[in-house]
Amino acid sequence: MTLNDKGELAIITAWCGDPPDGVAVYRHGDKLIDQAVIRAPAALAVAPVTVSLENLPDEWSLVEGDLDFRKDQVYKVTAYSSKARVSQGGTNFTLESKEKIPSGQIMIQHHGNDDLRFGTDVFLSTTDFTEIAKHYC
């Protein structure tokens, strides 16, 4: 997660090979509940790509669900590829995450040896995020 230049919550995703063809958003409850499915444009250019979850760019389309986020609700967002049948690890967030994410930084979660349900927030520069993403290729 990051903030775009308008201060909106946005997903940032990087990839190797075929680009993702969409983004899925889930609500946390007893289990993950579908919140929204967003279709990516047919031809994504160079990675990484940033997409506002508060004001979708014209070339992205909401396929199902909604992007009406509620205060104090935890969500998970992840990019996916139906061709590869995989999704990226995803990031958990709330509307309050806007206050936590430093300008120009990307929030990911580290799931180490902690007992935290949603992991520990870690903030990276775009360069560091892109370098770390290469290790998953």
Side-chain angles (χ1 to χ4, degrees), residues 30-50:
D30 293 336
K31 59 180 182 172
L32 288 177
I33 302 162
D34 292 347
Q35 174 78 23
V37 176
I38 304 164
R39 183 173 296 127
L44 282 178
V46 179
V49 168
T50 303

Side-chain angles (χ1 to χ4, degrees), residues 13-60:
T13 186
W15 64 89
C16 40
D18 291 330
D21 42 22
V23 171
V25 182
Y26 305 95
R27 281 189 319 275
H28 278 281
D30 293 336
K31 59 180 182 172
L32 288 177
I33 302 162
D34 292 347
Q35 174 78 23
V37 176
I38 304 164
R39 183 173 296 127
L44 282 178
V46 179
V49 168
T50 303
V51 181
S52 172
L53 295 177
E54 296 185 69
N55 189 16
L56 282 180
D58 291 339
E59 61 273 10
W60 292 73

Side-chain angles (χ1 to χ4, degrees), residues 125-136:
S125 68
T126 302
T127 302
D128 290 343
F129 174 79
T130 304
E131 285 301 313
I132 289 170
K134 290 178 185 177
H135 295 285
Y136 293 96

